[in-house]
Amino acid sequence: MAPDQTRPRIAALEVGGTKCICAVGRTPVELRLPANRLEVPSDAGPQQVLSRITEWFAAQHAREPLQAIGIASFGPLDLDPASPSYGSITSTPKPGWRDTDWLGAFARALPQVPVAIDTDVNGAALGEWQWGAAQGLDDFVYLTMGTGIGGGAMVGGRLVHGLLHPEMGHMRVPRIAGDDFAGVCPFHGDCWEGLCSGPALQARTGKAASALAADDPAWDYLLRYTAYAIGNIVCALSPRRIILGGSVRKAGALGEAAFFAGLRRELQRSLNGYVASAALTGKGSGGIDDYIVPPTQGDDAGICGAMVLAQRLVERPAVEG
Amino acid sequence: MAPDQTRPRIAALEVGGTKCICAVGRTPVELRLPANRLEVPSDAGPQQVLSRITEWFAAQHAREPLQAIGIASFGPLDLDPASPSYGSITSTPKPGWRDTDWLGAFARALPQVPVAIDTDVNGAALGEWQWGAAQGLDDFVYLTMGTGIGGGAMVGGRLVHGLLHPEMGHMRVPRIAGDDFAGVCPFHGDCWEGLCSGPALQARTGKAASALAADDPAWDYLLRYTAYAIGNIVCALSPRRIILGGSVRKAGALGEAAFFAGLRRELQRSLNGYVASAALTGKGSGGIDDYIVPPTQGDDAGICGAMVLAQRLVERPAVEG
């Protein structure tokens, strides 16, 4: 596909707990071309990661000017423009990443280019709303389960920010009888993220999700806790659809299809028919199979969302966010 | 205060699990005048309650025309205008109230008068937004703990509806070690409502909240479960303030001030500093004391909200909902 020269040339950055994805382009297709893309492992620590990323974007900008930068980052983030730490990661449990100032780093490296920043999950929600599984829906939730667990929500066509931004991974859920795994969240122990993130699965089983057997009992725990958490999200936000991305859903030997089938079954069991909508109580398509779905953009939901964040700085927004 | 003849004359109805409040007037002050008001106990059952209410409003309308009717009702409600059961209560666990058709009853009794209907908690949220503790806030949550537990939310100045409407009382929370009370929710057993509604407190202790001693251990359970649930709401919606109404908060011999003090302490303990905002981590006013508050309209938050629902049918809305 020929580049669409009428769209702005965007720098898109997804900051994840495992890796950071940098990409430049005018469309999602361009963002996916290897020549337009750089991946940087996050475990090098924020200072080295920031340097590599800003240098790469500066080189791209020198080659052909970038018109806006969009950053979709794991949180918690300070998203209050009036705050001195606006655009920084704040109280994260991820070692070394507390107080990482993304906005400041780009202001120094590319002072002429405007920057938009939001959570990775709000970014991914926007990406799925513009090009994916949430097209035409103004009330939905995007969840990711990976190194951490988080959620972004759109309500009435606007991304939810409020006081800071949602932190859905830190919801509390009932413990399943017989499960004595303490959880790994340094703040809450056995919150949803503490029980069901990739590192939690690793701590529980001694194995990565990709190496777990399909009949490992850890999957059943993970699906049931996740169904409780998603049920709480249904009760709090009444979304029309839930899009679940991140690496955990790929579910190793269990497989993505069995993961989603199990999750849908456990969510229906947990809600027990109380939320009386065929979208939740119904079987198959038009029912629960269309209610909880993987992202259409796959692993690129976040980077596509970072592009939408940046586009909205320089183009008239389609609706709002 | 002289009636403001420039405002429409409104029929406001709050449908609660214990009683229904009917009122007519042009302002919240008028709604509170005994001559403008009728209370009907809900336990007479929906058909008798509907007859008494519609007859009373019809008599008020004959005396001086009503320009719009606003109904704020407990749920679940069908709020989809395209649905054949639009304006009905749906899958409630309250005996006899399933499929109660409020909109149909008013369409027959007062066919000329337009009717707006929303949940009791969305109504109360609107009332507090227009005249109470949520003035100037476009992102907040209104909760009620009484016969049932429910929540209404405003996000970016709009009431949350989505698929149906939130059902915050049915969120799941961790069980406190040593507590073997099974809960009373017929759908979920020990969801938040099942553990902490007025009937749950009665089932746990054999006493009404108003008759419980201040040092009854049931208060500690109730505050801790409620803090978990409110923590989940903070994680899902990131509200700027939470307004908590309903009868349970009056807390009998414990008292409302001690109830709120305990709830604020337990919420801070549960979140453990993760949501890094002074509104949540700070002490006193400007901090947690301003974050969780009782409704300014007190027990009239719902009926005032029903008035706003109706006003918005016949006046230009101030923002949206």
Side-chain angles (χ1 to χ4, degrees), chain A residues 158 163 167 172 232 235, chain B residues 158 167 172 232 235 238 270:
Chain A
R158 299 174 195 215
L163 183 65
E167 278 291 349
R172 301 301 183 89
N232 283 350
C235 288
Chain B
R158 299 175 194 213
E167 279 290 350
R172 302 300 183 89
N232 282 352
C235 287
S238 191
S270 166

Side-chain angles (χ1 to χ4, degrees), chain A residues 31 120 217 226 228 239 243 266 271 295:
Chain A
L31 288 188
D120 46 2
T226 297
Y228 279 138
I243 302 166
E266 293 299 331
L271 292 173

Side-chain angles (χ1 to χ4, degrees), chain B residues 32-114:
Chain B
R32 290 194 176 90
L33 299 177
N36 292 338
R37 204 159 165 133
L38 175 75
E39 292 196 6
V40 180
S42 304
D43 58 12
Q47 289 321 313
Q48 204 183 324
V49 170
L50 251 72
S51 300
R52 283 194 63 194
I53 287 174
T54 51
E55 282 164 21
W56 186 80
F57 278 121
Q60 298 294 324
H61 183 63
R63 214 183 57 177
E64 185 184 347
L66 294 161
Q67 283 150 276
I69 300 163
I71 305 174
S73 171
F74 69 79
L77 297 176
D78 183 339
L79 296 177
D80 174 5
S83 161
S85 59
Y86 174 53
S88 293
I89 295 171
T90 60
S91 58
T92 177
K94 293 178 188 73
W97 285 86
R98 184 186 272 256
D99 301 327
T100 302
D101 180 8
W102 284 107
L103 221 61
F106 278 96
R108 285 186 296 275
L110 288 160
Q112 321 85 331
V113 189

